[in-house]
Amino acid sequence: MKPSGIITLLTDFGLRDPYVAMMKGVILSINPDAHLVDVSHQVKAGSILQAAGMIRETFRYFPKGTVHVVVVDPGVGGTRRLMSLEAGNHLFVGPDNGIFWPLIKSFKHTKAIHLTENRFFLSKVSWTFHGREIFSPVAAHLSLGVALEEMGPPLGDPITLEFPEPYEKDGILYGQITRVDNFGNLITNVSAKKLGHFQKKGPLVVELGNLTITKLSHVYSDAKEGQPLALINSSDWLEIAVNLGRASEYAGLGSGEMIGTPVKVSRTEGKL
Amino acid sequence: MKPSGIITLLTDFGLRDPYVAMMKGVILSINPDAHLVDVSHQVKAGSILQAAGMIRETFRYFPKGTVHVVVVDPGVGGTRRLMSLEAGNHLFVGPDNGIFWPLIKSFKHTKAIHLTENRFFLSKVSWTFHGREIFSPVAAHLSLGVALEEMGPPLGDPITLEFPEPYEKDGILYGQITRVDNFGNLITNVSAKKLGHFQKKGPLVVELGNLTITKLSHVYSDAKEGQPLALINSSDWLEIAVNLGRASEYAGLGSGEMIGTPVKVSRTEGKL
Amino acid sequence: MKPSGIITLLTDFGLRDPYVAMMKGVILSINPDAHLVDVSHQVKAGSILQAAGMIRETFRYFPKGTVHVVVVDPGVGGTRRLMSLEAGNHLFVGPDNGIFWPLIKSFKHTKAIHLTENRFFLSKVSWTFHGREIFSPVAAHLSLGVALEEMGPPLGDPITLEFPEPYEKDGILYGQITRVDNFGNLITNVSAKKLGHFQKKGPLVVELGNLTITKLSHVYSDAKEGQPLALINSSDWLEIAVNLGRASEYAGLGSGEMIGTPVKVSRTEGKL
């Protein structure tokens, strides 16, 4: 695969500490022309699920041949393996802890490698920062065109990740909130495709806590200011929002973590 | 205009979500050599006023021919138009919601275009993320040298923005706080120019809530540690600060939003 | 020294305001090919100590010939001097307020320059933003290969910085917390080297508040989930952590600032 020269970084390291800068320094020491792009460094500490969802949603907007470094690695230095993945003409580097499982499931053909060739690592490897000493230099070498196969043997049994999937029962579709974004929008795990099939039989009703929304909107301004709505968002997920407001506050589900809150989609067919 | 190859990004998207990274991926897919610089992604959600002031203050530090993408777009997908602007040898791309009005007013000659030529957009355009699907690819094409005029017809009636302006009444200059910065400095809408004219007739007194400052300082250390002062800041605005402290806390105006708080400037002429 | 073309930026400016973007615009106006990397902009406002420690820990991961701009400058516009430093084949630019003292102490041979040649500054210099008008253009010129010596005369008496050093008394090693990172890990000023010497005489006991840890671990997962541990971290400092948890909360030292909290290291030799 021809490298694009771009390397993206997705971690739970935050922006206060110099950890991300150290990774970038290591990359640029190997490939001075690498084009570095931050995806996010504010993944919730240790949340493999959040990072797995985010990289799956984001990688496709980059040119083919881009290398994506994903480091949410609570087991760093332990027994978990180091891996690299080729999927959809992109390359991914990170721990084998399930973080790439949604990508592996999304493509018919993927290639996973167990990173063992330590000539592609920094010469001094600490126990607690493989992002800097292993994943960054490996990504830099991949961005220079080193073949994945040179990095180690195939990894045939990558760790899987239980991803919350929506399910249908007695004519009702049950999903959940997977992300609350910067605008307080509530993003669910119900895809447009899933909803399309379900919707064929009648207009939708979306329920979240005490909140009931009786139609799908196209844009936020379909609702009056401060009023709730449901729509298919720009990443093709069912989203609950408030026009010019914050659905996360409107829903009145407490100020805590809303991720995992159930969402119920039903049809008005029987009732009309 | 010869493009500089630089594209800046100013949004209210925050840094937690992958939205900004998606925009960058789209830009780099069209112009792999684009040099991307973040202005800020922490504009208050939906605050057109804040973004309008920020881009006006910042663009001039970049080389001529730079493209500035500004996306604070609460009306996304609704009836608001998409626009691009040439002003002061820089290019700007964003929604026609008043965000570029201070720029248009600042220059004698500007050129505004209604973005209608969808061959410069992504092929699939969602209803809710025009930053990614329209503004980013348009900026990328502009950075490659595509002429503004190819993007659509002139836009002769851009949306205006009411910008709080200071005014003089009975010998007193009334302004307000427009921004509280990272150091707790209180930045007003009173320009050095305005203040210069006003000041000619006598030494100044600056009042904010219960706080009275009786002279203009040059630097923060003109005041003792922990003491308040007023100065003309590096962007030529009247600013109220506390040396080695936070004026936002010192002023005792409550922990809420201080933006819009009145500032009164008078002269000691009559009193001396 | 051959420049690497990379310029890093470390400030206490935060990410909300456009200050960092203005610096980048100034740099790119002078060196359009500069490769800009953020170290952090979330140093605690005015904390010279924090920035001094951070740049010392981070610079070495970048290629030789990199220029590092460090702006934590509470005395901006006052009498403090402007300086540039060559140390370890890297270049540093910032205020002479002690911020580079740990670097100067780390190397046998360093070269410090008092920045006086204002042809390398912006033509208009404000009183309150030397980061934009002096340090950024100087860094840009250095990244283009201008010799340090052209920038001004030698600076022979740089301001020093009192850095908290661990000390040994009656067979006990006394250190302190210098940083709490994004994961709640508590990083001390006790280096691996210091600890190595101390440890020779017997197994270690690390005490922090009511917390007692009786061995050194290699990785976080050496402790059970939620349990505390001590290890030598990836930057060779003694660190107190909680596996899959936050040591900053576990230690029960209050939610305030933990920096400066004493850490005591003793040996079990006498007791066994």
Side-chain angles (χ1 to χ4, degrees):
Chain A
M1 192 186 324
K2 196 172 165 287
S4 73
I6 300 166
I7 298 176
T8 80
L9 299 148
L10 172 59
T11 75
D12 59 353
F13 294 168
L15 294 167
R16 192 170 299 274
D17 301 311
Y19 303 146
V20 173
M22 290 173 177
M23 290 176 66
K24 291 179 177 176
V26 167
I27 290 172
L28 293 171
S29 297
I30 295 168
N31 180 2
D33 295 321
H35 199 136
L36 300 165
V37 179
D38 298 305
V39 172
S40 175
H41 299 292
Q42 299 185 326
V43 170
K44 198 184 158 197
S47 179
I48 295 166
L49 199 65
Q50 204 180 99
M54 208 180 273
I55 194 61
R56 179 182 58 171
E57 206 168 308
T58 306
F59 83 94
R60 69 190 69 191
Y61 293 99
F62 285 85
K64 288 178 181 182
T66 294
V67 182
H68 306 272
V69 183
V70 186
V71 189
V72 174
D73 193 11
V76 61
T79 55
R80 65 94 186 85
R81 294 170 297 186
L82 310 153
M83 75 179 279
S84 184
L85 176 75
E86 185 180 324
N89 290 305
H90 286 250
L91 293 163
F92 303 86
V93 181
D96 174 33
N97 60 12
I99 215 163
F100 298 132
W101 184 244
L103 283 169
I104 294 171
K105 282 214 312 180
S106 300
F107 291 93
K108 266 189 195 162
H109 301 290
T110 63
K111 190 190 296 172
I113 292 288
H114 180 191
L115 296 168
T116 55
E117 290 295 321
N118 63 16
R119 67 197 148 111
F120 299 110
F121 306 170
L122 286 200
S123 52
K124 186 194 162 195
V125 172
S126 77
W127 290 92
T128 55
F129 197 178
H130 290 174
R132 183 180 69 198
E133 292 130 21
I134 298 178
F135 301 130
S136 290
V138 162
H141 287 293
L142 289 173
S143 79
L144 286 169
V146 173
L148 207 58
E149 289 78 3
E150 288 189 46
M151 301 275 186
L155 190 155
D157 56 342
I159 298 293
T160 62
L161 183 69
E162 209 168 318
F163 222 70
E165 297 284 356
Y167 60 93
E168 210 177 317
K169 193 182 164 189
D170 300 335
I172 291 174
L173 185 60
Y174 294 89
Q176 59 175 258
I177 305 297
T178 54
R179 199 155 63 83
V180 181
D181 81 3
N182 190 53
F183 299 97
N185 297 324
L186 307 173
I187 297 152
T188 74
N189 63 344
V190 178
S191 68
K193 200 175 160 189
K194 193 107 192 168
L195 208 64
H197 285 297
F198 186 79
Q199 192 177 14
K200 276 178 191 157
K201 294 188 195 159
L204 298 177
V205 178
V206 178
E207 291 172 79
L208 169 77
N210 291 323
L211 184 62
T212 303
I213 298 166
T214 55
K215 65 163 185 171
L216 270 194
S217 299
H218 279 104
V219 295
Y220 299 118
S221 55
D222 281 354
K224 289 187 184 156
E225 180 166 347
Q227 291 303 306
L229 66 141
L231 48 66
I232 300 298
N233 76 7
S234 62
S235 290
D236 283 337
W237 300 108
L238 176 67
E239 176 182 310
I240 294 159
V242 164
N243 185 29
L244 303 172
R246 298 183 67 80
S248 56
E249 290 165 14
Y250 188 95
L253 289 163
S255 61
E257 181 68 73
M258 299 195 63
I259 291 168
T261 304
V263 173
K264 212 171 106 180
V265 186
S266 54
R267 286 176 295 232
T268 52
E269 40 167 346
K271 301 171 194 168
L272 291 178
Chain B
M1 192 188 323
K2 196 173 165 286
S4 73
I6 300 167
I7 299 176
T8 79
L9 299 149
L10 172 58
T11 76
D12 60 353
F13 294 168
L15 293 167
R16 192 169 299 275
D17 301 310
Y19 301 148
V20 173
M22 290 174 178
M23 291 177 66
K24 292 180 178 175
V26 167
I27 290 172
L28 294 173
S29 297
I30 295 168
N31 180 2
D33 295 322
H35 199 136
L36 300 165
V37 179
D38 298 305
V39 173
S40 175
H41 299 292
Q42 297 186 327
V43 170
K44 198 184 158 195
S47 179
I48 295 166
L49 199 65
Q50 204 181 99
M54 208 180 273
I55 193 62
R56 179 181 59 170
E57 207 168 308
T58 307
F59 82 94
R60 70 191 68 191
Y61 293 99
F62 286 85
K64 287 178 181 181
T66 294
V67 183
H68 305 272
V69 184
V70 187
V71 190
V72 174
D73 194 11
V76 60
T79 56
R80 66 94 186 84
R81 294 170 297 187
L82 311 153
M83 76 179 279
S84 185
L85 175 76
E86 185 181 322
N89 290 305
H90 286 249
L91 293 163
F92 302 86
V93 181
D96 174 33
N97 61 12
I99 215 162
F100 298 131
W101 184 245
L103 284 169
I104 293 171
K105 282 214 311 181
S106 301
F107 290 94
K108 266 189 193 160
H109 300 290
T110 62
K111 192 190 294 175
I113 291 289
H114 180 191
L115 297 168
T116 56
E117 291 294 321
N118 62 17
R119 65 198 150 109
F120 299 110
F121 305 169
L122 286 201
S123 52
K124 187 195 162 193
V125 173
S126 77
W127 290 92
T128 55
F129 196 178
H130 289 174
R132 184 180 69 197
E133 292 131 21
I134 298 178
F135 301 130
S136 290
V138 162
H141 287 293
L142 289 173
S143 78
L144 286 168
V146 173
L148 207 59
E149 292 77 4
E150 287 190 48
M151 301 274 186
L155 190 156
D157 57 342
I159 297 292
T160 62
L161 182 71
E162 211 168 318
F163 222 70
E165 297 285 356
Y167 60 91
E168 210 177 318
K169 196 182 162 188
D170 301 336
I172 292 174
L173 185 59
Y174 294 90
Q176 58 176 260
I177 305 297
T178 54
R179 200 153 62 82
V180 181
D181 82 2
N182 189 53
F183 299 97
N185 298 324
L186 306 173
I187 297 153
T188 76
N189 62 344
V190 179
S191 69
K193 200 174 159 189
K194 192 107 192 168
L195 208 64
H197 286 297
F198 186 79
Q199 193 177 11
K200 278 179 190 156
K201 295 187 194 159
L204 297 178
V205 178
V206 178
E207 291 172 79
L208 170 76
N210 292 324
L211 184 61
T212 302
I213 299 165
T214 55
K215 65 165 186 170
L216 270 195
S217 300
H218 279 105
V219 296
Y220 299 119
S221 54
D222 281 353
K224 289 187 184 154
E225 180 165 348
Q227 291 304 304
L229 67 141
L231 49 66
I232 300 298
N233 75 7
S234 62
S235 290
D236 283 337
W237 299 110
L238 176 66
E239 176 181 309
I240 294 158
V242 164
N243 186 28
L244 303 174
R246 299 183 66 79
S248 57
E249 287 165 15
Y250 189 94
L253 289 163
S255 62
E257 181 68 75
M258 299 196 63
I259 291 168
T261 304
V263 173
K264 213 171 107 180
V265 186
S266 52
R267 286 176 295 234
T268 52
E269 41 168 346
K271 302 171 194 167
L272 292 180
Chain C
M1 193 187 322
K2 198 172 164 286
S4 73
I6 300 167
I7 299 176
T8 79
L9 299 148
L10 172 59
T11 76
D12 59 354
F13 294 169
L15 294 167
R16 192 170 298 276
D17 301 311
Y19 302 147
V20 174
M22 289 174 178
M23 290 176 67
K24 292 180 178 176
V26 167
I27 290 171
L28 294 172
S29 297
I30 295 167
N31 180 1
D33 295 322
H35 200 137
L36 300 164
V37 179
D38 299 304
V39 172
S40 175
H41 299 293
Q42 298 185 326
V43 170
K44 198 184 159 197
S47 178
I48 295 165
L49 198 65
Q50 203 180 100
M54 210 180 272
I55 194 61
R56 180 182 58 171
E57 205 168 309
T58 306
F59 84 92
R60 71 192 66 193
Y61 293 99
F62 286 85
K64 288 177 180 183
T66 294
V67 182
H68 306 272
V69 184
V70 187
V71 190
V72 174
D73 193 11
V76 60
T79 56
R80 65 93 185 86
R81 293 170 296 186
L82 311 154
M83 76 178 279
S84 185
L85 175 76
E86 186 180 323
N89 291 306
H90 286 250
L91 293 162
F92 302 86
V93 181
D96 173 33
N97 60 12
I99 215 162
F100 298 132
W101 184 244
L103 284 169
I104 293 170
K105 283 213 313 181
S106 300
F107 291 94
K108 268 189 193 160
H109 300 291
T110 63
K111 190 190 296 172
I113 291 289
H114 180 191
L115 296 168
T116 55
E117 290 294 321
N118 62 17
R119 66 197 150 110
F120 299 110
F121 304 170
L122 285 200
S123 52
K124 188 196 162 192
V125 172
S126 77
W127 290 92
T128 54
F129 196 178
H130 290 174
R132 183 180 69 198
E133 292 130 21
I134 298 177
F135 302 129
S136 290
V138 161
H141 287 294
L142 289 173
S143 78
L144 285 168
V146 173
L148 207 59
E149 290 78 4
E150 288 189 46
M151 302 276 187
L155 191 157
D157 56 343
I159 299 293
T160 61
L161 182 70
E162 210 168 318
F163 222 70
E165 297 285 357
Y167 60 93
E168 210 176 317
K169 195 182 162 188
D170 301 334
I172 291 175
L173 184 59
Y174 294 89
Q176 58 176 260
I177 304 296
T178 55
R179 199 153 64 81
V180 181
D181 81 2
N182 189 52
F183 299 97
N185 297 325
L186 306 174
I187 297 152
T188 75
N189 63 345
V190 179
S191 68
K193 201 174 159 189
K194 192 109 193 164
L195 208 63
H197 286 297
F198 186 79
Q199 194 176 12
K200 279 178 190 157
K201 297 188 194 158
L204 297 177
V205 178
V206 178
E207 291 172 79
L208 170 77
N210 292 323
L211 184 62
T212 302
I213 299 166
T214 54
K215 65 164 186 169
L216 270 195
S217 299
H218 279 104
V219 295
Y220 300 118
S221 54
D222 281 353
K224 288 187 185 156
E225 179 165 348
Q227 290 305 305
L229 66 141
L231 48 65
I232 301 298
N233 75 7
S234 61
S235 290
D236 282 337
W237 299 109
L238 175 66
E239 177 182 309
I240 294 158
V242 164
N243 186 27
L244 303 173
R246 298 183 66 80
S248 56
E249 290 166 14
Y250 189 95
L253 290 163
S255 61
E257 182 67 74
M258 299 194 64
I259 291 168
T261 304
V263 173
K264 213 171 105 180
V265 187
S266 52
R267 287 176 293 232
T268 51
E269 41 168 345
K271 302 171 193 166
L272 291 179

mmCIF file of all heavy atoms in Angstrom, chain B residues 139-160:
data_model
loop_
_atom_site.group_PDB
_atom_site.id
_atom_site.type_symbol
_atom_site.label_atom_id
_atom_site.label_comp_id
_atom_site.label_asym_id
_atom_site.label_seq_id
_atom_site.Cartn_x
_atom_site.Cartn_y
_atom_site.Cartn_z
ATOM 1 N N ALA B 139 -12.496 24.923 1.132
ATOM 2 C CA ALA B 139 -11.232 25.513 1.587
ATOM 3 C C ALA B 139 -10.040 24.818 0.938
ATOM 4 O O ALA B 139 -9.075 25.466 0.522
ATOM 5 C CB ALA B 139 -11.133 25.428 3.112
ATOM 6 N N ALA B 140 -10.120 23.499 0.847
ATOM 7 C CA ALA B 140 -9.016 22.750 0.237
ATOM 8 C C ALA B 140 -8.826 23.169 -1.223
ATOM 9 O O ALA B 140 -7.697 23.384 -1.682
ATOM 10 C CB ALA B 140 -9.280 21.251 0.339
ATOM 11 N N HIS B 141 -9.926 23.311 -1.954
ATOM 12 C CA HIS B 141 -9.816 23.725 -3.361
ATOM 13 C C HIS B 141 -9.279 25.150 -3.465
ATOM 14 O O HIS B 141 -8.455 25.441 -4.331
ATOM 15 C CB HIS B 141 -11.168 23.593 -4.062
ATOM 16 C CG HIS B 141 -11.573 22.167 -4.336
ATOM 17 N ND1 HIS B 141 -10.901 21.366 -5.237
ATOM 18 C CD2 HIS B 141 -12.552 21.383 -3.819
ATOM 19 C CE1 HIS B 141 -11.458 20.161 -5.269
ATOM 20 N NE2 HIS B 141 -12.467 20.140 -4.409
ATOM 21 N N LEU B 142 -9.722 26.040 -2.579
ATOM 22 C CA LEU B 142 -9.198 27.411 -2.596
ATOM 23 C C LEU B 142 -7.694 27.422 -2.318
ATOM 24 O O LEU B 142 -6.935 28.173 -2.930
ATOM 25 C CB LEU B 142 -9.922 28.283 -1.556
ATOM 26 C CG LEU B 142 -11.382 28.643 -1.871
ATOM 27 C CD1 LEU B 142 -12.010 29.358 -0.678
ATOM 28 C CD2 LEU B 142 -11.489 29.523 -3.125
ATOM 29 N N SER B 143 -7.271 26.541 -1.402
ATOM 30 C CA SER B 143 -5.841 26.497 -1.053
ATOM 31 C C SER B 143 -4.998 25.960 -2.203
ATOM 32 O O SER B 143 -3.773 26.097 -2.207
ATOM 33 C CB SER B 143 -5.620 25.655 0.213
ATOM 34 O OG SER B 143 -5.680 24.278 -0.088
ATOM 35 N N LEU B 144 -5.669 25.309 -3.162
ATOM 36 C CA LEU B 144 -4.971 24.809 -4.352
ATOM 37 C C LEU B 144 -4.995 25.833 -5.477
ATOM 38 O O LEU B 144 -4.452 25.598 -6.562
ATOM 39 C CB LEU B 144 -5.616 23.503 -4.832
ATOM 40 C CG LEU B 144 -5.317 22.265 -3.994
ATOM 41 C CD1 LEU B 144 -6.227 21.107 -4.392
ATOM 42 C CD2 LEU B 144 -3.851 21.855 -4.145
ATOM 43 N N GLY B 145 -5.688 26.955 -5.265
ATOM 44 C CA GLY B 145 -5.670 28.017 -6.257
ATOM 45 C C GLY B 145 -6.926 28.159 -7.100
ATOM 46 O O GLY B 145 -6.972 28.988 -8.014
ATOM 47 N N VAL B 146 -7.960 27.352 -6.820
ATOM 48 C CA VAL B 146 -9.232 27.537 -7.532
ATOM 49 C C VAL B 146 -9.730 28.950 -7.233
ATOM 50 O O VAL B 146 -9.681 29.406 -6.089
ATOM 51 C CB VAL B 146 -10.280 26.496 -7.086
ATOM 52 C CG1 VAL B 146 -11.648 26.795 -7.693
ATOM 53 C CG2 VAL B 146 -9.828 25.091 -7.453
ATOM 54 N N ALA B 147 -10.206 29.656 -8.266
ATOM 55 C CA ALA B 147 -10.645 31.041 -8.067
ATOM 56 C C ALA B 147 -11.995 31.072 -7.359
ATOM 57 O O ALA B 147 -12.870 30.234 -7.599
ATOM 58 C CB ALA B 147 -10.757 31.755 -9.404
ATOM 59 N N LEU B 148 -12.142 32.046 -6.482
ATOM 60 C CA LEU B 148 -13.380 32.236 -5.740
ATOM 61 C C LEU B 148 -14.588 32.274 -6.684
ATOM 62 O O LEU B 148 -15.641 31.692 -6.386
ATOM 63 C CB LEU B 148 -13.265 33.577 -4.994
ATOM 64 C CG LEU B 148 -14.047 33.779 -3.715
ATOM 65 C CD1 LEU B 148 -13.640 32.736 -2.702
ATOM 66 C CD2 LEU B 148 -13.787 35.170 -3.155
ATOM 67 N N GLU B 149 -14.426 32.949 -7.804
ATOM 68 C CA GLU B 149 -15.537 33.160 -8.737
ATOM 69 C C GLU B 149 -16.073 31.855 -9.323
ATOM 70 O O GLU B 149 -17.229 31.810 -9.754
ATOM 71 C CB GLU B 149 -15.098 34.076 -9.893
ATOM 72 C CG GLU B 149 -14.827 35.508 -9.485
ATOM 73 C CD GLU B 149 -13.483 35.696 -8.789
ATOM 74 O OE1 GLU B 149 -12.718 34.710 -8.679
ATOM 75 O OE2 GLU B 149 -13.206 36.822 -8.343
ATOM 76 N N GLU B 150 -15.256 30.814 -9.320
ATOM 77 C CA GLU B 150 -15.725 29.537 -9.852
ATOM 78 C C GLU B 150 -16.682 28.843 -8.894
ATOM 79 O O GLU B 150 -17.340 27.865 -9.258
ATOM 80 C CB GLU B 150 -14.533 28.600 -10.092
ATOM 81 C CG GLU B 150 -13.684 28.979 -11.294
ATOM 82 C CD GLU B 150 -12.673 27.887 -11.606
ATOM 83 O OE1 GLU B 150 -13.067 26.698 -11.665
ATOM 84 O OE2 GLU B 150 -11.481 28.202 -11.759
ATOM 85 N N MET B 151 -16.711 29.325 -7.647
ATOM 86 C CA MET B 151 -17.443 28.615 -6.597
ATOM 87 C C MET B 151 -18.928 28.985 -6.551
ATOM 88 O O MET B 151 -19.712 28.308 -5.891
ATOM 89 C CB MET B 151 -16.821 28.941 -5.232
ATOM 90 C CG MET B 151 -15.352 28.574 -5.110
ATOM 91 S SD MET B 151 -15.180 26.874 -4.602
ATOM 92 C CE MET B 151 -13.404 26.734 -4.357
ATOM 93 N N GLY B 152 -19.292 30.101 -7.205
ATOM 94 C CA GLY B 152 -20.695 30.513 -7.174
ATOM 95 C C GLY B 152 -20.830 31.985 -7.505
ATOM 96 O O GLY B 152 -19.834 32.680 -7.726
ATOM 97 N N PRO B 153 -22.063 32.468 -7.517
ATOM 98 C CA PRO B 153 -22.321 33.868 -7.865
ATOM 99 C C PRO B 153 -22.007 34.799 -6.689
ATOM 100 O O PRO B 153 -21.907 34.350 -5.556
ATOM 101 C CB PRO B 153 -23.818 33.868 -8.150
ATOM 102 C CG PRO B 153 -24.366 32.785 -7.297
ATOM 103 C CD PRO B 153 -23.292 31.721 -7.233
ATOM 104 N N PRO B 154 -21.859 36.098 -6.984
ATOM 105 C CA PRO B 154 -21.634 37.049 -5.895
ATOM 106 C C PRO B 154 -22.765 37.011 -4.877
ATOM 107 O O PRO B 154 -23.920 36.751 -5.227
ATOM 108 C CB PRO B 154 -21.607 38.409 -6.610
ATOM 109 C CG PRO B 154 -21.286 38.103 -8.027
ATOM 110 C CD PRO B 154 -21.881 36.760 -8.305
ATOM 111 N N LEU B 155 -22.402 37.265 -3.623
ATOM 112 C CA LEU B 155 -23.408 37.334 -2.567
ATOM 113 C C LEU B 155 -23.417 38.800 -2.109
ATOM 114 O O LEU B 155 -22.489 39.253 -1.427
ATOM 115 C CB LEU B 155 -23.002 36.371 -1.450
ATOM 116 C CG LEU B 155 -24.007 36.083 -0.332
ATOM 117 C CD1 LEU B 155 -23.713 34.736 0.310
ATOM 118 C CD2 LEU B 155 -24.007 37.167 0.715
ATOM 119 N N GLY B 156 -24.429 39.513 -2.541
ATOM 120 C CA GLY B 156 -24.417 40.964 -2.370
ATOM 121 C C GLY B 156 -24.984 41.458 -1.051
ATOM 122 O O GLY B 156 -24.763 42.614 -0.657
ATOM 123 N N ASP B 157 -25.682 40.610 -0.350
ATOM 124 C CA ASP B 157 -26.370 41.049 0.869
ATOM 125 C C ASP B 157 -26.077 40.128 2.046
ATOM 126 O O ASP B 157 -26.988 39.502 2.595
ATOM 127 C CB ASP B 157 -27.877 41.067 0.613
ATOM 128 C CG ASP B 157 -28.396 39.699 0.155
ATOM 129 O OD1 ASP B 157 -27.556 38.861 -0.293
ATOM 130 O OD2 ASP B 157 -29.606 39.452 0.260
ATOM 131 N N PRO B 158 -24.792 40.029 2.420
ATOM 132 C CA PRO B 158 -24.470 39.121 3.540
ATOM 133 C C PRO B 158 -25.229 39.511 4.798
ATOM 134 O O PRO B 158 -25.533 40.684 5.018
ATOM 135 C CB PRO B 158 -22.970 39.303 3.721
ATOM 136 C CG PRO B 158 -22.641 40.609 3.103
ATOM 137 C CD PRO B 158 -23.611 40.788 1.980
ATOM 138 N N ILE B 159 -25.510 38.506 5.607
ATOM 139 C CA ILE B 159 -26.174 38.741 6.896
ATOM 140 C C ILE B 159 -25.258 39.613 7.760
ATOM 141 O O ILE B 159 -24.057 39.387 7.815
ATOM 142 C CB ILE B 159 -26.443 37.389 7.603
ATOM 143 C CG1 ILE B 159 -27.393 36.536 6.768
ATOM 144 C CG2 ILE B 159 -26.998 37.608 9.011
ATOM 145 C CD1 ILE B 159 -28.799 37.045 6.650
ATOM 146 N N THR B 160 -25.844 40.596 8.421
ATOM 147 C CA THR B 160 -25.052 41.474 9.284
ATOM 148 C C THR B 160 -25.070 40.949 10.720
ATOM 149 O O THR B 160 -25.830 40.036 11.056
ATOM 150 C CB THR B 160 -25.601 42.909 9.255
ATOM 151 O OG1 THR B 160 -26.942 42.886 9.753
ATOM 152 C CG2 THR B 160 -25.605 43.459 7.838
#
